[in-house]
Amino acid sequence: MSKKIRILGIAPYEGLKQLMEEYACQRKDLDFVSLLGSMEEGAALAKEYYSDFDIIISRANTADLIKKSVPIPVIDLGIGYYDILRCLKTAEATHTKFALLGHPSLTKAAQTLRSLLKAEFPVFSISDTATALHTLHTLSAQNYQTVICDTVAYEAARKAGLTPILLTSSAESLETAVNHALYLWEISQKSVVTLSMLKETLKTGFGDYLLLNENGTLLYSTLQGNFLQAIQTQLQKEVPSCLSKERRSFFITAANKLYAVSSRFVDTAPESYLIFCLTPSKLPVNHSKYGISILNREDTQNTLTTSICNTGSHAKKLRKDAKSMKKFSPNLMLTGEYGTEEDCLAYLYYIDSKLHNHPLYKINCDLLNEKNWNFLINSFHSPFTDNDNTIYISNLQKLSAEKQKWLLSVILDTNAHVRNRFIFSCCKEYKKPAPAVALEYANALDCIVIPVAPLREQKTDLPSMCALYINTLNEAFGKQLIALDDDAICALTEYDYPGNHAQLKRILKQAVIKTNSLYLSNSVIQDILVQERQLFPARIDTASSSCIQLDCNLSLDEINRCVIQQVLKNCNGNQSVAARKLGISRTTLWRSLNRG
């Protein structure tokens, strides 16, 4: 054929977009362009670019939405049995109770595989967010902790307190979809109906306005071009919240600028709609460059989605504590060692507070310059002059003693801690008490003190942390790793982590980048840990060390049993790994433990 088929790939997640780009480089007989967009965002991209293509390839619910939006053929990129099997192995590695839910095209294959494997995990078919939320809350009530799901249920699972594993498509599934697209195109040879809908942009008033209907479809805008698309995408995410209130105020970031947005819901026949008014913010904020940023609930939820701290028994307890405080939303003081990700904990308490529909002001004392410090203390537009917001002040210990007292005086004098909710974080050194300023602020502002546990005290959660963060890295880098091998898990469990969660994330990221197989090996982890020990020399604490205190009055069998029990504890109860470390068989280990 003299003419190349023009294919537009709409990927619901970043890993699939990378897979499409790599495949396009191999197929010189195609004009294959891939874009990133899930659900309504993907449908909007399809509507904007479909006239330049012959066929669109997308996946599951996003593909369904695109089919309703464009007049050209849309191929649903399915998911193969191997893709589902890989996710099942990842779920099994978390050692939690799990279920699988997603679009019917995905769950049909999962049900077949479940029958072949004679597995007992439940499978649910969903086609919309409402069904997903209902199913996820039911699973949560039944003590399920992990769900294998597609992009529709991914964010909903987080909000329901479950840990999601995204069903990702493989290169084989993509190739099958492309071949199907070629087949359809070759037998049809139909002309693409060109529908060019020209919208005249009107410039009126002193501000910029957008009108969206209840489905987020654009009705009118004074903006145009790529900037309009960026703004519309941001506002579409706010539609559900804006529909619940007649008027609402919030902030969005677009084109490296911060905008104050006021919305008004107009409920009239024949169509209800939302009016958004945008004005550039007067706040001197530019993506936290100078220590001040403004976030909303979705921003913080997205951060929590990829947080290594958002899984395991410790995270479950924190979520329970946050929900118990929702009605009162007291001021908080978070204290933990460096690297324990206090930011994510602050976001968790913000999301589960009664003020979650209002902005979160984040002030990082470590990044503040003098201009922004003066803005906070003296400006009429300072967050301290506003009401009903959450103000998160991190790294309080980084301020000088003079500024610490100055800041406390301003908060007390303006009664800002009564009109708003304050969350502070104050980092401490390795195994040291919290700085005195933490207690001073907690007492003066009636804060509840929340100790943030270091990673070495969360070793039982480490396997599930690793498994789920590897899944996050798979999405980011287009990898398909299943899990760590047993020896690698044992090596990670034995490490002390002076850099806490931030250090573990760095170790896993480096390991995933270096690995081209399905499992992260112990040799890769050990090489990285050697480097980490050089950067962070071991600090021995005899009070909490794993050294064994032996009683020489015990019999030889009793001493052996003590040694075995300590090694088994260090290996998180894994008898195979413990036996290899001791240089004995698993049978000998079992006999020694059970010997009278």
Side-chain angles (χ1 to χ4, degrees):
M1 286 179 283
S2 59
K3 179 185 175 183
K4 291 182 178 181
I5 182 174
R6 300 167 301 170
I7 299 177
L8 173 62
I10 304 291
Y13 58 93
E14 181 62 34
L16 181 56
K17 180 176 181 294
Q18 293 182 17
L19 192 64
M20 288 179 171
E21 290 172 346
E22 293 172 2
Y23 185 82
C25 294
Q26 301 171 13
R27 295 295 298 265
K28 303 302 181 183
D29 59 324
L30 306 174
D31 283 332
F32 196 158
V33 175
S34 58
L35 300 173
L36 180 65
S38 177
M39 300 294 288
E40 289 81 8
E41 182 181 0
L45 289 171
K47 289 179 69 174
E48 182 175 358
Y49 297 109
Y50 79 87
S51 60
D52 295 325
F53 297 90
D54 302 302
I55 287 180
I56 294 176
I57 294 178
S58 190
R59 202 182 89 154
N61 296 77
T62 302
D64 286 350
L65 287 176
I66 294 174
K67 289 176 183 177
K68 300 174 183 178
S69 306
V70 299
I72 64 174
V74 179
I75 305 299
D76 185 352
L77 170 61
I79 190 165
Y81 292 106
Y82 173 79
D83 304 328
I84 299 173
L85 182 60
R86 179 179 57 78
C87 290
L88 290 176
K89 290 299 182 181
T90 301
E92 291 173 356
T94 67
H95 303 292
T96 60
K97 190 177 181 182
F98 68 92
L100 186 147
L101 63 159
H103 188 266
S105 65
L106 306 179
T107 55
K108 184 177 180 180
Q111 289 168 343
T112 302
L113 187 60
R114 180 183 61 180
S115 298
L116 291 172
L117 296 175
K118 297 182 179 180
E120 297 181 355
F121 62 94
V123 177
F124 302 92
S125 294
I126 60 170
S127 57
D128 55 65
T129 304
T131 306
L133 284 171
H134 175 75
T135 304
L136 290 165
H137 284 299
T138 301
L139 291 172
S140 180
Q142 296 174 356
N143 295 321
Y144 283 83
Q145 300 175 38
T146 303
V147 290
I148 303 170
C149 59
D150 57 16
T151 53
V152 174
Y154 193 84
E155 294 298 332
R158 290 287 185 190
K159 296 176 183 178
L162 299 170
T163 302
I165 296 175
L166 183 65
L167 277 165
T168 56
S169 297
S170 65
E172 292 79 7
S173 299
L174 176 59
E175 184 173 23
T176 300
V178 171
N179 290 337
H180 185 43
L182 285 168
Y183 171 75
L184 288 180
W185 185 70
E186 290 172 357
I187 65 172
S188 65
Q189 286 295 301
K190 295 180 180 179
S191 302
V192 176
V193 179
T194 305
L195 299 175
S196 178
M197 301 181 66
L198 302 176
K199 295 184 177 181
E200 183 179 350
T201 303
L202 302 175
K203 298 290 185 181
T204 58
F206 296 98
D208 288 311
Y209 294 87
L210 279 86
L211 274 69
L212 304 179
N213 67 13
E214 292 178 285
N215 297 321
T217 303
L218 181 66
L219 303 176
Y220 170 79
S221 175
T222 59
L223 301 171
Q224 58 184 336
N226 293 333
F227 185 62
L228 168 60
Q229 182 63 49
I231 292 293
Q232 183 181 348
T233 299
Q234 293 273 12
L235 293 181
Q236 284 173 333
K237 300 173 183 178
E238 302 291 338
V239 167
S241 298
C242 294
L243 289 174
S244 64
K245 293 186 176 182
E246 182 180 354
R247 297 180 183 273
R248 181 170 174 252
S249 297
F250 54 95
F251 292 85
I252 62 172
T253 303
N256 295 323
K257 292 183 180 179
L258 191 68
Y259 291 86
V261 183
S262 60
S263 69
R264 182 187 174 194
F265 177 44
V266 182
D267 189 7
T268 59
E271 184 176 21
S272 300
Y273 57 92
L274 287 162
I275 302 174
F276 294 94
C277 178
L278 287 80
T279 55
S281 173
K282 296 179 181 179
L283 294 170
V285 182
N286 185 10
H287 289 288
S288 299
K289 183 177 180 181
Y290 301 112
I292 305 176
S293 57
I294 300 178
L295 307 172
N296 57 31
R297 189 180 187 183
E298 184 173 355
D299 296 329
T300 54
Q301 185 68 58
N302 289 339
T303 300
L304 282 177
T305 297
T306 58
S307 171
I308 201 167
C309 303
N310 200 32
T311 183
S313 58
H314 184 70
K316 186 175 182 179
K317 179 181 180 298
L318 291 175
R319 285 193 293 269
K320 183 178 179 181
D321 290 344
K323 290 183 184 299
S324 69
M325 296 182 188
K326 183 174 183 177
K327 182 178 178 180
F328 307 101
S329 297
N331 296 325
L332 302 176
M333 172 62 71
L334 313 178
T335 62
E337 294 179 7
Y338 287 96
T340 48
E341 296 203 339
E342 288 92 345
D343 284 2
C344 291
L345 183 55
Y347 296 163
L348 177 63
Y349 280 99
Y350 163 68
I351 290 170
D352 285 321
S353 74
K354 63 182 180 180
L355 299 176
H356 65 257
N357 282 325
H358 297 261
L360 169 69
Y361 290 84
K362 179 183 176 183
I363 302 167
N364 188 343
C365 298
D366 195 24
L367 300 178
L368 280 178
N369 58 16
E370 285 301 317
K371 179 180 178 181
N372 276 11
W373 169 258
N374 290 328
F375 164 77
L376 285 174
I377 300 302
N378 302 313
S379 174
F380 176 75
H381 298 291
S382 169
F384 301 153
T385 64
D386 207 348
N387 299 321
D388 296 324
N389 294 316
T390 301
I391 302 174
Y392 171 43
I393 300 180
S394 67
N395 291 309
L396 183 61
Q397 78 287 348
K398 290 292 185 178
L399 289 178
S400 66
E402 179 184 2
K403 287 185 175 179
Q404 288 172 355
K405 293 185 179 298
W406 191 354
L407 176 61
L408 181 58
S409 176
V410 169
I411 294 173
L412 290 170
D413 291 346
T414 60
N415 224 26
H417 63 300
V418 177
R419 295 181 288 102
N420 300 277
R421 185 196 196 185
F422 276 82
I423 301 177
F424 301 91
S425 74
C426 197
C427 293
K428 60 182 182 178
E429 296 294 335
Y430 178 82
K431 296 185 179 180
K432 299 292 184 181
V437 66
L439 182 60
E440 181 182 1
Y441 269 64
N443 290 337
L445 302 176
D446 196 22
C447 298
I448 293 179
V449 179
I450 308 291
V452 184
L455 182 55
R456 63 182 175 276
E457 295 178 8
Q458 302 177 47
K459 292 295 183 69
T460 56
D461 292 336
L462 196 139
S464 61
M465 286 184 184
C466 293
L468 273 302
Y469 194 64
I470 288 171
N471 182 62
T472 298
L473 294 173
N474 278 339
E475 297 171 37
F477 298 126
K479 297 261 190 174
Q480 296 189 12
L481 279 75
I482 294 175
L484 292 148
D485 65 31
D486 289 342
D487 288 341
I489 291 176
C490 189
L492 287 172
T493 303
E494 290 178 344
Y495 187 58
D496 196 43
Y497 297 102
N500 289 292
H501 302 81
Q503 187 179 18
L504 176 60
K505 288 172 64 176
R506 186 175 66 251
I507 291 170
L508 292 177
K509 183 176 181 179
Q510 188 175 351
V512 167
I513 291 174
K514 287 184 174 182
T515 300
N516 294 317
S517 59
L518 294 178
Y519 287 86
L520 288 176
S521 67
N522 183 44
S523 60
V524 172
I525 294 297
Q526 290 288 5
D527 289 343
I528 298 173
L529 290 179
V530 168
Q531 299 174 10
E532 292 297 314
R533 289 186 177 98
Q534 292 174 350
L535 291 171
F536 302 96
R539 291 176 256 192
I540 299 174
D541 183 354
T542 56
S544 62
S545 173
S546 61
C547 295
I548 306 172
Q549 302 294 326
L550 296 179
D551 185 350
C552 294
N553 294 320
L554 297 175
S555 67
L556 182 59
D557 283 345
E558 290 172 331
I559 292 175
N560 286 339
R561 192 177 300 113
C562 287
V563 173
I564 291 173
Q565 288 173 342
Q566 180 62 52
V567 174
L568 192 60
K569 179 181 178 182
N570 293 344
C571 296
N572 280 334
N574 191 316
Q575 294 188 3
S576 298
V577 175
R580 284 198 296 270
K581 280 187 167 292
L582 292 165
I584 60 177
S585 68
R586 185 174 175 178
T587 302
T588 301
L589 183 143
W590 184 86
R591 288 174 178 169
S592 298
L593 289 173
N594 292 277
R595 186 172 296 160

